[in-house]
Amino acid sequence: ILAKSNVPLFSYAKKTVPVSVLAKLVNPKAKLNTESAAGYILSMVDNYAKNDVMNYYIDNIISDNADYRNLINEYRDGMLLFEVSNKKVWEGATKDTLGLKNYFEANRSKYNWDSPRFKGIILSAKNDSVASAVKAAIPTFGKDTLTTALHNKFGNEIKMERMLFAQGENDVVDRVVFKQNKEVAKTNKYPVSFVLEGGIIEQPQEVADVKGPVTSDYQDVREKQWLKDLKQKYPVVIYKNVLKKIK
């Protein structure tokens, strides 16, 4: 009887939960008379109602709660704006290698250095013997595969570092290139160093030499162009009669 009853147990929002819903939760194998079954059902009402209301609230919070809906929409719009901005401006600039190169070439004077830099590879060895062996081996290898060949032959006996530093920015460069009298730290595993390739340059040679500031400036250029395109495609229309009402 209870399993078919439409008598309401509780209601909320526009939903009414009848006795039959909870009656179906009673174990059919339990030997309960109608009175005992009714008592058991009533004992479940509170927990069932709490769970049912909470599930309804979770499912309908966006439509029922304006503040939460606005918050979710703001978060969604923010994520969409971030994704589009990243594609059009930030990541877009870093991936646009040709655009970066052309921008650098057209604006070289903006990125002049106040002092020269060493640009190249410095090789450091564990001791003088290893350094001498490396220097003797260098002429036997091709220039295009030199670093790979040296790494394969000497392994962890040597360390090669591609560097771009001005005087005073790196101890190894100061000591090896700018001939400053700096002591090698006792903890240094590779105390013997020399220039493998490269030299001192007065100004940036390519966009990679000043990639950070060039990329930042190029991102600004792309953002301004993007906003300009948006304004042309989607012109702003101001409804003065509505504006007056707001004021």
Side-chain angles (χ1 to χ4, degrees), residues 1-7 18-21 23-24:
I1 297 174
L2 292 176
K4 296 180 180 180
S5 174
N6 290 321
V7 175
V19 172
S20 58
V21 172
K24 292 175 183 177

Side-chain angles (χ1 to χ4, degrees), residues 44-58:
M44 294 191 297
V45 171
D46 284 346
N47 286 334
Y48 185 90
K50 288 178 182 178
N51 291 332
D52 205 45
V53 171
M54 180 58 69
N55 289 333
Y56 174 87
Y57 180 74
I58 293 172

Side-chain angles (χ1 to χ4, degrees), residues 111 207-219:
Y111 306 102
V207 66
D209 298 338
V210 281
K211 190 170 183 179
V214 172
T215 301
S216 179
D217 291 344
Y218 187 51
Q219 286 171 339

Side-chain angles (χ1 to χ4, degrees), residues 77-90:
D77 293 345
M79 291 298 293
L80 289 174
L81 179 61
F82 174 83
E83 289 297 327
V84 176
S85 299
N86 189 47
K87 182 178 180 180
K88 292 284 187 179
V89 180
W90 307 315

Side-chain angles (χ1 to χ4, degrees), residues 150-209:
L150 289 174
H151 176 75
N152 291 338
K153 182 175 179 62
F154 293 97
N156 62 4
E157 294 292 307
I158 62 173
K159 179 175 70 171
M160 290 173 283
E161 297 177 278
R162 189 172 295 277
M163 298 183 168
L164 179 65
F165 289 113
Q167 184 173 339
E169 293 181 345
N170 182 274
D171 286 346
V172 176
V173 171
D174 287 347
R175 187 175 68 252
V176 175
V177 179
F178 294 105
K179 307 303 179 185
Q180 290 189 331
N181 186 22
K182 290 189 174 182
E183 289 188 18
V184 180
K186 293 181 180 180
T187 56
N188 193 334
K189 295 181 179 180
Y190 302 94
V192 183
S193 303
F194 62 89
V195 175
L196 180 64
E197 64 177 50
I200 296 174
I201 58 175
E202 296 296 326
Q203 296 298 338
Q205 296 175 324
E206 57 184 334
V207 66
D209 298 338

Side-chain angles (χ1 to χ4, degrees), residues 4 14 21 28 33 39 60 75 92 98 107 111 113 116 143 146 149 159 165 167 176 194 226 229:
K4 296 180 180 180
K14 296 180 180 180
V21 172
N33 56 34
N60 295 275
Y75 177 78
L98 180 60
N107 298 275
Y111 306 102
W113 291 329
K143 185 177 180 180
L146 179 58
K159 179 175 70 171
F165 289 113
Q167 184 173 339
V176 175
F194 62 89
W226 178 41
D229 293 342

